[in-house]
């Protein structure tokens, strides 16, 4: 399968200095593209080091827009509907607050209990600010992995201002049907906001076609933008004039360098900017986006489905018999590009994979409480052989009880 893989040459676009590592955590921090190394070098030495403040008029000021127009292609939006800035958490705050304010009279925000905690914290904070008549209601998963449409139908009602869900959930990789859920929210008169953090670069996303109102997402996972790279937000064109951002900063002003004392919002999507952009981190996002556009999201998805199916086949044959269960949907249409494998000793198995005492290969997945070994499949640089070797290695760690050499104490970042 590796020799027949149409994307096999894309691995060369990435800097891979250690050949004894199988990296299965590209869903948490994507690999470093080769071009990004050159770009950061150029930006520091030439643009910052040599050109200094002049660089603001030589490209820095528009950099966020360059990144945004490429991102827009990857998530199925127009370029004037996407802006790159701040973190995913902050962008959720800005959009959710603006959306609830617009929906006056409606006092309910709906999300689900599979959502990434920061999303729920931000929504809880908004509720606390807006007042006691507002509430956050979570649709509850029946199986711990997925949410069915009936549960959502029962949770979203005529009092719902906004629905906030992750297109692909972070633990089980359950993928919502974006079209059906967005249509449901609209039928009840609610606005729909999708968090694309685990979806963009992993699965094809079509915001315009599905009539999505709002979206946010990060760029350091499947988009390979680098640690803490800026996030993005999307607002459907027709909504842009109707929403007012809760944070009024000079980069969202109509003419920042007029230094006027009274704020006037910029037209369109730009009003959601706040302050000076992190130029180095913005630059670092571009090469990763170019690689994805070159490969094409359809090819990436095709390989991702083949690879996750292969992983499930190996799980059924090698791991299920020794006590593992699967923590992801087995139906590819309901799944993103990572797979969670569950085992009571998941944390110590992860440690043994990352810091082997008796093996020559290091396998890097990650651990998510309480018992998930999360395996990120990133088709641009993951091979089928790597998946096979990793599953074989997990089997060995369990059969030979190698995990018992490790303590159960958790690291700060897992
Ligand atoms: C990764 C992720 C985030 C990260 O938020 P930051 O503000 O970048 O820390 C938020 N939401 C979801 C669903 C994620 O997967």
């Amino acid at each position: 399968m590796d020799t027949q893989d149409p994307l096999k040459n894309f691995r060369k676009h990435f800097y891979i200095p250690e050949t004894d590592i199988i990296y299965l955590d590209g869903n948490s921090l994507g690999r470093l593209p080769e071009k990004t190394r050159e770009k950061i070098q150029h930006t520091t030495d030439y643009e910052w080091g040599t050109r200094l403040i002049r660089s603001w008029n030589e490209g820095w000021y528009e950099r966020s827009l360059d990144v945004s127009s490429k991102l827009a292609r990857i998530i199925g939006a127009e370029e004037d509907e996407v802006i790159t800035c701040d973190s995913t958490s902050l962008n959720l705050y800005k959009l959710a607050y603006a959306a609830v304010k617009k929906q006056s009279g409606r006092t309910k925000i709906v999300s689900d209990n599979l959502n990434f905690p920061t999303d729920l914290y931000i929504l809880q904070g908004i509720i606390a600010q807006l007042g006691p008549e507002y509430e956050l209601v979570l649709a509850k998963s029946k199986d711990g992995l997925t949410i069915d449409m009936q549960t959502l139908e029962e949770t979203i009602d005529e009092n719902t201002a906004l629905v906030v869900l992750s297109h692909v959930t972070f633990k089980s990789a359950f993928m919502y049907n974006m079209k059906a859920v967005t249509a449901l929210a609209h039928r009840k008169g609610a606005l729909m906001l999708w968090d694309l953090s685990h979806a963009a670069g992993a699965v094809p996303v079509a915001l315009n076609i599905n009539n999505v109102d709002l979206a946010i997402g990060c760029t350091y996972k499947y988009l390979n933008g680098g640690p803490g790279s800026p996030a993005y937000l999307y607002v459907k064109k027709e909504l842009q004039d109707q929403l007012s951002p809760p944070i009024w900063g000079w980069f969202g002003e109509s003419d920042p360098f007029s230094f006027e004392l009274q704020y006037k919002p910029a037209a369109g999507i730009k009003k959601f900017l706040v302050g000076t952009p992190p130029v180095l981190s913005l630059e670092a996002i571009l090469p990763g986006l170019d690689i994805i556009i070159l490969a094409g999201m359809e090819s990436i998805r095709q390989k991702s489905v083949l690879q996750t199916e292969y992983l499930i086949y190996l799980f059924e044959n090698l791991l299920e018999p020794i006590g593992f269960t699967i923590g992801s949907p087995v139906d590819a249409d309901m799944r993103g590009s990572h797979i969670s494998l569950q085992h009571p000793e998941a944390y110590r198995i992860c440690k043994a994979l990352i810091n082997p005492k008796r093996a020559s290969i290091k396998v890097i997945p990650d651990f998510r409480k309480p018992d998930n070994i999360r395996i990120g499949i990133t088709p641009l640089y993951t091979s089928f052989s790597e998946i096979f070797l990793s599953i074989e290695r997990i089997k060995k760690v369990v059969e030979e009880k190698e995990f018992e050499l490790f303590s159960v104490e958790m690291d700060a970042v897992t």
Side-chain angles (χ1 to χ4, degrees):
M1 291 181 98
D2 280 331
T3 51
Q4 289 166 14
D5 169 15
L7 294 180
K8 64 176 175 241
N9 290 326
F10 277 80
R11 194 177 163 95
K12 292 199 199 95
H13 291 287
F14 296 88
Y15 176 62
I16 304 185
E18 287 183 278
T19 49
D20 62 341
I21 284 185
I22 297 179
Y23 191 61
L24 299 175
D25 212 2
N27 59 314
S28 216
L29 175 68
R31 274 193 180 277
L32 167 62
E34 274 291 350
K35 283 235 170 70
T36 304
R37 303 175 68 207
E38 296 160 31
K39 206 165 179 57
I40 289 179
Q41 188 78 41
H42 177 81
T43 307
T44 48
D45 289 358
Y46 180 71
E47 295 180 10
W48 177 14
T50 308
R51 298 302 297 163
L52 290 161
I53 194 100
R54 292 170 289 184
S55 285
W56 279 111
N57 282 323
E58 295 169 359
W60 283 359
Y61 197 52
E62 290 81 32
R63 198 62 89 234
S64 162
L65 303 180
D66 300 343
V67 175
S68 308
S69 67
K70 290 191 184 194
L71 260 169
R73 288 171 65 181
I74 295 171
I75 59 178
E78 294 293 323
E79 64 175 19
D80 54 1
E81 293 176 317
V82 179
I83 197 89
T84 314
C85 56
D86 303 322
S87 64
T88 309
S89 306
L90 259 172
N91 287 338
L92 175 58
Y93 176 76
K94 292 186 285 184
L95 293 193
Y97 190 97
V100 174
K101 279 283 177 189
K102 178 200 173 294
Q103 295 275 67
S104 62
R106 292 173 178 244
T107 55
K108 184 165 145 184
I109 302 178
V110 168
S111 186
D112 71 26
N113 69 345
L114 302 179
N115 210 346
F116 195 84
T118 198
D119 294 39
L120 302 180
Y121 303 157
I122 293 288
L123 298 175
Q124 289 161 15
I126 288 174
I127 299 279
Q129 271 183 307
L130 288 174
E133 66 276 28
Y134 286 85
E135 60 171 348
L136 172 65
V137 179
L138 301 185
K140 305 272 186 325
S141 169
K142 292 183 180 125
D143 58 3
L145 306 182
T146 63
I147 304 269
D148 54 42
M149 278 305 276
Q150 195 200 336
T151 304
L152 281 184
E153 301 246 10
E154 288 161 9
T155 316
I156 303 169
D157 61 20
E158 267 67 29
N159 188 30
T160 305
L162 175 69
V163 179
V164 178
L165 297 169
S166 289
H167 183 33
V168 174
T169 60
F170 80 106
K171 210 178 284 183
S172 73
F174 166 60
M175 178 166 68
Y176 274 107
N177 181 328
M178 183 178 274
K179 188 184 196 69
V181 176
T182 304
L184 167 64
H186 288 169
R187 266 202 310 283
K188 307 282 175 104
L191 290 170
M192 184 71 224
L193 188 159
W194 289 104
D195 188 327
L196 304 176
S197 294
H198 270 86
V203 299
V205 175
L207 295 178
N208 283 166
I209 288 176
N210 291 315
N211 198 20
V212 171
D213 303 302
L214 306 160
I216 52 166
C218 71
T219 58
Y220 48 77
K221 293 172 179 166
Y222 292 95
L223 299 174
N224 308 308
S229 53
Y232 55 90
L233 62 84
Y234 153 94
V235 180
K236 176 165 76 174
K237 193 122 48 171
E238 304 93 276
L239 263 183
Q240 290 176 2
D241 284 346
Q242 301 171 41
L243 295 185
S244 174
I247 304 174
W248 294 1
W250 72 314
F251 268 68
E253 217 273 340
S254 59
D255 186 10
F257 286 86
S258 69
F259 296 104
E260 285 291 335
L261 298 187
Q262 180 55 49
Y263 170 86
K264 283 195 302 300
I269 193 81
K270 272 173 106 173
K271 72 178 155 201
F272 289 97
L273 292 173
V274 179
T276 307
V279 174
L280 298 179
S281 311
L282 267 176
E283 297 273 5
I285 304 175
L286 283 166
L289 301 181
D290 286 334
I291 299 171
I292 289 173
I293 291 169
L294 186 65
M297 274 318 304
E298 293 301 328
S299 309
I300 292 173
R301 173 63 175 168
Q302 249 171 33
K303 181 171 169 189
S304 159
V305 169
L306 273 180
Q307 291 194 309
T308 48
E309 300 272 276
Y310 178 54
L311 200 161
I312 292 173
Y313 160 82
L314 293 172
F315 152 79
E316 285 168 349
N317 285 278
L318 302 176
L319 299 183
E320 206 165 22
I322 59 169
F324 280 85
T325 51
I326 187 156
S328 297
V330 288
D331 175 357
D333 290 339
M334 290 171 67
R335 185 176 72 227
S337 199
H338 65 275
I339 300 267
S340 281
L341 299 177
Q342 302 169 320
H343 189 282
E345 283 291 349
Y347 184 65
R348 291 202 291 173
I349 295 170
C350 263
K351 282 206 135 166
L353 293 170
I354 298 169
N355 313 291
K357 298 228 161 81
R358 298 179 195 148
S360 53
I361 53 164
K362 302 184 185 86
V363 179
I364 308 187
D366 66 19
F367 167 78
R368 285 293 173 267
K369 275 185 173 181
D371 60 355
N372 295 279
I373 301 172
R374 209 170 52 151
I375 299 184
I377 300 295
T378 42
L380 292 172
Y381 50 80
T382 304
S383 69
F384 289 89
S385 337
E386 285 182 316
I387 296 173
F388 175 71
L389 291 170
S390 303
I391 299 300
E392 205 180 40
R393 173 87 187 113
I394 294 176
K395 180 172 187 298
K396 213 161 172 190
V397 166
V398 173
E399 281 182 343
E400 298 184 359
K401 298 200 187 307
E402 198 181 318
F403 62 85
E404 288 182 354
L405 300 169
F406 295 84
S407 106
V408 294
E409 220 158 280
M410 300 253 167
D411 293 329
V413 177
T414 58

